[in-house]
Amino acid sequence: MADNTTTKSFLFTSESVTEGHPDKMCDQISDAILDAIFEKEAALEADGYVSPQSKTPACVDDVRCAIETFTTTGIITVMGEVRTQAYVDVDAIVRDVVREIGYTGSEMGFDAETCAVANYMHPQSPDIARGVDESHESKHGQSEEGDPYDRIGAGDQGVMFGYACNETSALMPMPIYLAHRLAERLTKVRKDTTLPYLRPDGKTQVTVRYEDDKPVAVEKILISTQHAADVELAQIRADLIEHVITPVFAEEGVSWEDAEIFVNPTGRFVVGGPMGDTGLTGRKIIVDTYGGMGRHGGGAFSGKDATKVDRSAAYAARWVAKNIVAAGLADRAEVQFAYAIGVARPLSLLVETFGTEKVPVEKIEAAVREVFDLRPGAIIDALDLRRPIYRKTAAYGHFGRELPEFTWERTDRVDALKAAIQ
């Protein structure tokens, strides 16, 4: 009998960028300011500080931030809304971040010491604050008595997605996971002077062939990196293959020898960073998440405190999806939440498993509702999100990195999900 089955084959590509990419510079600056505010506010709270003007005590729970950064040739502008008792030196923070990235002189195209820094941050709107500080449920008698998580409303409306799959050890899609590792390695060999002619700006891209929704081969690898003017493309290509591509793929145990390699396809990448392109907070949200494999709600993360569900609920969605896959309930899981500004409880919850579920999806969804409390206050406490942890998230992905600060990467609800399925 003839075999009438067909194999579904397709290519999927994801990109990453280095910390010197102008958009990522802005993400890191916004999150570094957020970290500084959390750190200073916590210190003031510990000291019992009370504002002499407002008579309001310092409290890290009361911090609200939505910080945006913009950069172009020779200038960085910081904007946004903030509520805090703390004073932070924005100018110094900006210059520290730019210096640590590596923009330290005219030969780099940008200089941390001489660039202009403009600060246009202002207080948070009281209309937003009133919905977050006292939720719809608490205002209308719909909260459980003594339940602190019904008090905090979502900081904005919107939809958030989380995704996980069993393609890699980090339960991330292979294309974005490999692209991030290449970008990290590109920065490492620049900073440790293995390749001293490299400059901070760079991008990576990996194309993977899938058959029946499983990754089977790496087909194309692209690295574009800023470099000194006196280096030939042939040397850059040979060095990147030896010092970036080979060690990354060896560490991940992925074959790449048959892949087509592209290095600086225009032939020259000397002008980079803010001199080559403007940068803006939140303009690399697909790089921040799943590389396009899995949907995105549209809200950026960097510069926002955790009452902004754009950030905290997206982290929680990853946490939920990763625990579903780690529990063996599905090979792929995408989770969606929706929120209304000022309302604590999610308006909706959806679990999608793309036909890979091992038990009925309705049971998985019911288990998620039982095991996870997805009100913003509960998410913040469960994932310990009122801490200065955010600068680390602002380059090389918010997901799929096994760092102690990345609490949303824990698979600590696996047993509870399995028990709820029974």
Side-chain angles (χ1 to χ4, degrees):
M1 181 180 293
D3 183 359
N4 293 320
T5 61
T6 58
T7 299
K8 176 187 175 185
S9 180
F10 61 91
L11 299 177
F12 196 93
T13 303
S14 295
E15 72 160 348
S16 182
V17 299
T18 65
E19 61 193 50
H21 186 282
D23 292 330
K24 274 288 146 218
M25 283 178 61
C26 292
D27 287 342
Q28 290 168 89
I29 290 167
S30 294
D31 273 337
I33 296 169
L34 175 64
D35 282 350
I37 289 171
F38 270 125
E39 187 173 0
K40 290 286 186 70
E41 186 83 20
L44 290 175
E45 182 179 0
D47 290 341
Y49 175 82
V50 178
S51 167
Q53 289 80 32
S54 66
K55 310 303 180 186
T56 305
C59 179
V60 73
D61 292 0
D62 293 337
V63 167
R64 303 286 185 267
C65 293
I67 302 166
E68 313 286 349
T69 303
F70 167 79
T71 186
T72 187
T73 304
I75 187 169
I76 293 173
T77 303
V78 180
M79 305 158 282
E81 302 80 46
V82 172
R83 187 177 78 182
T84 180
Q85 300 281 2
Y87 167 78
V88 297
D89 189 340
V90 170
D91 185 276
I93 293 167
V94 169
R95 295 184 192 282
D96 285 346
V97 171
V98 175
R99 191 180 303 111
E100 289 166 16
I101 288 171
Y103 287 113
T104 55
S106 59
E107 71 277 10
M108 303 292 178
F110 202 83
D111 189 347
E113 310 307 324
T114 61
C115 69
V117 177
N119 178 6
Y120 295 107
M121 293 195 300
H122 58 83
Q124 183 192 42
S125 161
D127 294 342
I128 295 174
R130 69 192 297 268
V132 178
D133 295 342
E134 186 181 3
S135 71
H136 173 86
E137 288 90 338
S138 62
K139 288 176 184 174
H140 295 84
Q142 298 172 0
S143 60
E144 296 288 337
E145 186 174 352
D147 188 338
Y149 299 136
D150 269 345
R151 182 180 66 84
I152 299 175
D156 202 352
Q157 74 172 55
V159 296
M160 296 81 207
F161 289 93
Y163 184 84
C165 59
N166 59 10
E167 295 176 14
T168 61
S169 60
L171 303 187
M172 285 288 285
M174 184 176 286
I176 187 66
Y177 185 75
L178 292 174
H180 280 324
R181 304 294 78 77
L182 289 171
E184 283 180 320
R185 180 75 183 179
L186 189 59
T187 296
K188 180 181 184 301
V189 297
R190 169 177 64 88
K191 287 187 168 182
D192 69 12
T193 69
T194 299
L195 301 179
Y197 59 79
L198 295 182
R199 301 295 182 251
D201 197 357
K203 303 177 79 170
T204 63
Q205 193 166 282
V206 176
T207 300
V208 174
R209 178 167 296 281
Y210 284 75
E211 292 183 359
D212 293 331
D213 293 322
K214 301 291 185 184
V216 296
V218 174
E219 295 229 343
K220 294 178 174 63
I221 301 167
L222 166 61
I223 301 179
S224 295
T225 181
Q226 186 186 9
H227 58 87
D230 58 352
V231 183
E232 297 296 326
L233 180 59
Q235 181 184 348
I236 298 171
R237 178 185 174 88
D239 285 346
L240 293 189
I241 289 174
E242 178 181 356
H243 295 289
V244 177
I245 295 173
T246 298
V248 164
F249 281 82
E251 183 174 349
E252 299 302 328
V254 176
S255 174
W256 64 275
E257 287 78 7
D258 295 329
E260 189 174 3
I261 308 296
F262 298 88
V263 173
N264 286 6
T266 66
R268 181 178 171 88
F269 186 0
V270 174
V271 178
M275 189 174 180
D277 196 5
T278 59
L280 186 66
T281 298
R283 203 157 57 178
K284 283 288 177 284
I285 56 178
I286 299 302
V287 171
D288 287 341
T289 55
Y290 308 101
M293 183 83 73
R295 289 169 283 194
H296 192 289
F301 303 153
S302 289
K304 296 177 181 176
D305 74 273
T307 65
K308 312 297 190 294
V309 285
D310 282 340
R311 181 168 222 158
S312 55
Y315 289 178
R318 164 64 177 172
W319 184 37
V320 172
K322 188 172 183 180
N323 274 271
I324 289 171
V325 174
L329 303 179
D331 294 336
R332 298 168 61 199
E334 182 181 78
V335 179
Q336 185 209 49
F337 311 143
Y339 291 86
I341 188 169
V343 179
R345 296 182 178 91
L347 303 186
S348 67
L349 183 155
L350 173 69
V351 175
E352 169 63 70
T353 54
F354 310 96
T356 69
E357 67 275 5
K358 312 306 178 186
V359 298
V361 177
E362 308 82 59
K363 285 192 172 185
I364 299 174
E365 194 169 290
V368 168
R369 293 179 186 276
E370 178 181 331
V371 170
F372 293 92
D373 188 339
L374 298 171
R375 293 172 292 176
I379 292 170
I380 290 168
D381 278 359
L383 299 181
D384 199 7
L385 297 180
R386 290 191 180 98
R387 296 179 294 148
I389 60 172
Y390 294 106
R391 166 121 187 246
K392 286 186 178 181
T393 69
Y396 314 116
H398 293 246
F399 308 124
R401 297 164 65 197
E402 303 292 340
L403 300 175
E405 298 89 347
F406 288 39
T407 50
W408 49 92
E409 292 296 318
R410 298 183 307 207
T411 52
D412 55 348
R413 300 295 175 92
V414 164
D415 291 341
L417 281 174
K418 289 178 178 178
I421 292 290
Q422 302 305 319

